[in-house]
Amino acid sequence: MFKQVKKRLTFLYTISLLCLLFLFIGILYFLISHEINQKQVDEVNGYFSKEKMDFIEDLYEKKHRGVEYDPNRTIFYYVYNQEGNLRYGKEVFQNLVGQIKKTEGNSSIKRMEWGKKHLLLVKKTLVINGVMHGFVVLGMDITGEEHVIQNITWTLVGMTLFFSLLFAFLGYFFAGQAMIPIKRAFLKQEKFVSDASHELRTPLSIFYGSLDFLQREEKLSAYGLEVLADARVEAELMNKLINNLLFLARSDKKELPLRLENVNLSELLENTCKRFSRRKAESIALITNIQKGIYLRCDELKIQQLISILLDNAFRYTIEGKIIVSLDTRIERLIITIEDTGYGISSTDLPHIFDRFYRADLSREKGGTGLGLSIAKSIVDAHGGKISASSIEGEGSKFIVFFSREK
């Protein structure tokens, strides 16, 4: 149990720390890349603002200058007239002008790859006093900046992997530290329950003997005998509660003794159903759908106790209707199903029905200690099985027990 809780705490701590790490790295990456990209755009826009009038003046020169190649430039550009015809330009990569696609709109920013180069392209319209004269496409080589961003990306990925392992270790460590007081408190509670159950057995036995002695007295009145009978019923309930607590205490300590043998589960289930059917109400129909010849290596008495607990609950909370008991096999699993049409369990109570001493309001009206289903789950867990429950309030409940069957 503690190992499962520790695993869950480790997972919770690790996921929480990783979420914070991813959030921090994501924000850091966004800020750095945005700052680099914005600086590039600002540099191109600044160049355009400074050269805008020269672009327009040169646009109306009668001589068509064409495109000049200048590999030493930082920013290159291509100037187009209103019809979209290239008038002139200066480029740092030969024949790049043929690869640049004109974008629509008044202004736009795009990035493209040219061989192994990364380029930033910005389209700006040439407008003066509301009159459009053409547009210019400016660009710059941003390969170095892209490599910086890539290096930052890989660095952040490496940091993420490193800190993921670190956080997993820290999560495991913190989970272990958190489990220390929990485990200590649980062990104290477990020892108290076990010791108290053992210590209560002796006075309860004396109490039983005293009741038997008093019941044999002839001088008691009818009212006195009635009081003794009530006391004996309460003593039996206390004895049952103590035995249940001892059972769960052994289960917690993994000291639940199992006498394993090959048991005819079909016959065991049928015999238990017959025993319950003899004391059922006429308004309840007990329907069995038990596959014959199914064997399970188990502790017969404890499996019988498990079935009795589930059947007892079904009959206790069903006034009229039917109870269906099924046993079948699927691949390498045995499946026991007990379904009733009784009161059902509310969606609020359903997740807690296997908790110790947990009782819904409906259960309190019917009595009980709230340990039956806890014991049933302990028996199933001790045999390596699983138990689940589903229910609709007012329509009934369904309990399913799964056991793996050895070949």
Side-chain angles (χ1 to χ4, degrees):
M1 181 183 70
F2 289 110
K3 289 183 179 179
Q4 293 179 349
V5 175
K6 188 174 183 179
K7 288 179 180 178
R8 292 178 182 176
L9 286 176
T10 300
F11 178 78
L12 179 63
Y13 288 145
T14 303
I15 291 298
S16 301
L17 292 173
L18 285 178
C19 288
L20 293 175
L21 174 64
F22 290 149
L23 180 62
F24 170 76
I25 288 179
I27 294 175
L28 181 63
Y29 174 79
F30 173 78
L31 292 176
I32 293 175
S33 60
H34 180 267
E35 182 66 23
I36 293 175
N37 293 333
Q38 189 61 46
K39 184 178 179 181
Q40 296 165 354
V41 174
D42 290 343
E43 185 176 351
V44 173
N45 289 334
Y47 182 84
F48 171 76
S49 300
K50 185 174 64 173
E51 301 291 336
K52 179 179 179 180
M53 296 307 299
D54 292 337
F55 290 152
I56 295 176
E57 291 176 1
D58 293 340
L59 183 63
Y60 288 101
E61 285 187 359
K62 293 183 179 180
K63 182 180 179 182
H64 180 72
R65 296 164 54 185
V67 178
E68 300 178 7
Y69 174 64
D70 185 359
N72 297 320
R73 296 184 61 84
T74 302
I75 297 178
F76 58 89
Y77 59 87
Y78 305 96
V79 181
Y80 299 84
N81 60 20
Q82 297 184 41
E83 290 75 25
N85 298 320
L86 177 65
R87 292 293 298 169
Y88 70 96
K90 292 185 178 181
E91 63 180 7
V92 296
F93 304 107
Q94 289 183 330
N95 302 321
L96 176 61
V97 64
Q99 301 294 326
I100 294 179
K101 297 180 180 179
K102 304 179 184 67
T103 56
E104 298 180 356
N106 293 332
S107 62
S108 62
I109 300 172
K110 66 179 296 186
R111 288 172 172 80
M112 64 174 291
E113 292 186 13
W114 171 258
K116 295 182 179 180
K117 299 291 185 180
H118 296 269
L119 306 177
L120 169 68
L121 301 177
V122 179
K123 177 184 176 182
K124 307 290 288 186
T125 55
L126 299 173
V127 179
I128 296 180
N129 298 327
V131 179
M132 179 176 177
H133 300 271
F135 63 90
V136 58
V137 176
L138 302 99
M140 65 180 298
D141 183 4
I142 57 172
T143 305
E145 290 82 353
E146 286 294 320
H147 288 166
V148 171
I149 294 177
Q150 289 177 4
N151 291 334
I152 292 174
T153 302
W154 285 112
T155 302
L156 293 177
V157 169
M159 290 176 59
T160 302
L161 294 176
F162 171 76
F163 281 105
S164 298
L165 296 175
L166 179 61
F167 288 163
F169 173 78
L170 291 176
Y172 184 81
F173 174 77
F174 289 143
Q177 294 300 309
M179 288 298 299
I180 292 176
I182 298 174
K183 188 174 182 179
R184 187 178 300 148
F186 180 83
L187 292 176
K188 286 183 179 180
Q189 177 186 346
E190 183 184 68
K191 188 176 186 301
F192 168 77
V193 171
S194 179
D195 293 346
S197 301
H198 280 291
E199 293 298 327
L200 285 172
R201 273 189 159 184
T202 300
L204 186 61
S205 300
I206 297 174
F207 183 58
Y208 260 122
S210 301
L211 290 177
D212 291 336
F213 176 77
L214 289 174
Q215 283 182 327
R216 289 194 294 268
E217 286 289 322
E218 298 179 355
K219 297 179 181 181
L220 288 176
S221 63
Y223 179 74
L225 291 173
E226 185 178 342
V227 171
L228 284 176
D230 292 340
R232 189 174 185 85
V233 170
E234 294 300 325
E236 289 175 354
L237 289 175
M238 185 180 294
N239 184 55
K240 182 180 179 181
L241 174 60
I242 290 173
N243 289 331
N244 288 341
L245 288 173
L246 283 172
F247 184 96
L248 291 172
R250 293 191 189 101
S251 176
D252 290 337
K253 293 180 180 179
K254 305 298 182 183
E255 296 176 356
L256 190 63
L258 294 179
R259 185 179 178 182
L260 298 177
E261 55 185 341
N262 289 324
V263 177
N264 190 326
L265 192 59
S266 302
E267 291 184 0
L268 177 63
L269 200 56
E270 286 178 350
N271 293 335
T272 308
C273 289
K274 286 179 182 178
R275 191 175 74 251
F276 274 86
S277 65
R278 284 193 286 268
R279 58 186 179 90
K280 72 179 181 63
E282 294 182 356
S283 59
I284 301 175
L286 178 60
I287 302 171
T288 58
N289 183 18
I290 300 173
Q291 186 176 335
K292 303 294 183 181
I294 296 181
Y295 284 80
L296 175 67
R297 184 168 178 79
C298 62
D299 187 313
E300 183 174 2
L301 292 179
K302 289 184 172 55
I303 295 298
Q304 185 176 4
Q305 183 181 5
L306 163 68
I307 298 169
S308 298
I309 291 172
L310 297 179
L311 281 174
D312 183 66
N313 278 354
F315 279 104
R316 181 179 298 179
Y317 303 120
T318 303
I319 296 179
E320 60 179 358
K322 59 185 178 180
I323 296 174
I324 304 173
V325 180
S326 304
L327 172 64
D328 58 8
T329 59
R330 298 178 188 173
I331 310 176
E332 292 301 322
R333 292 198 302 177
L334 304 180
I335 302 174
I336 301 174
T337 306
I338 298 179
E339 185 176 3
D340 63 65
T341 58
Y343 296 114
I345 306 169
S346 69
S347 57
T348 304
D349 296 322
L350 190 60
H352 307 286
I353 59 174
F354 294 108
D355 296 345
R356 296 171 191 182
F357 295 108
Y358 185 86
R359 293 184 296 173
D361 293 336
L362 185 61
S363 297
R364 294 192 183 98
E365 296 173 4
K366 291 289 183 177
T369 61
L371 291 177
L373 289 177
S374 298
I375 293 174
K377 188 176 187 305
S378 296
I379 294 173
V380 174
D381 291 342
H383 286 81
K386 292 184 179 180
I387 184 171
S388 63
S390 59
S391 181
I392 300 177
E393 192 172 8
E395 296 185 12
S397 304
K398 184 178 182 180
F399 286 84
I400 304 177
V401 180
F402 299 92
F403 290 115
S404 60
R405 182 176 61 171
E406 296 179 358
K407 294 184 179 179

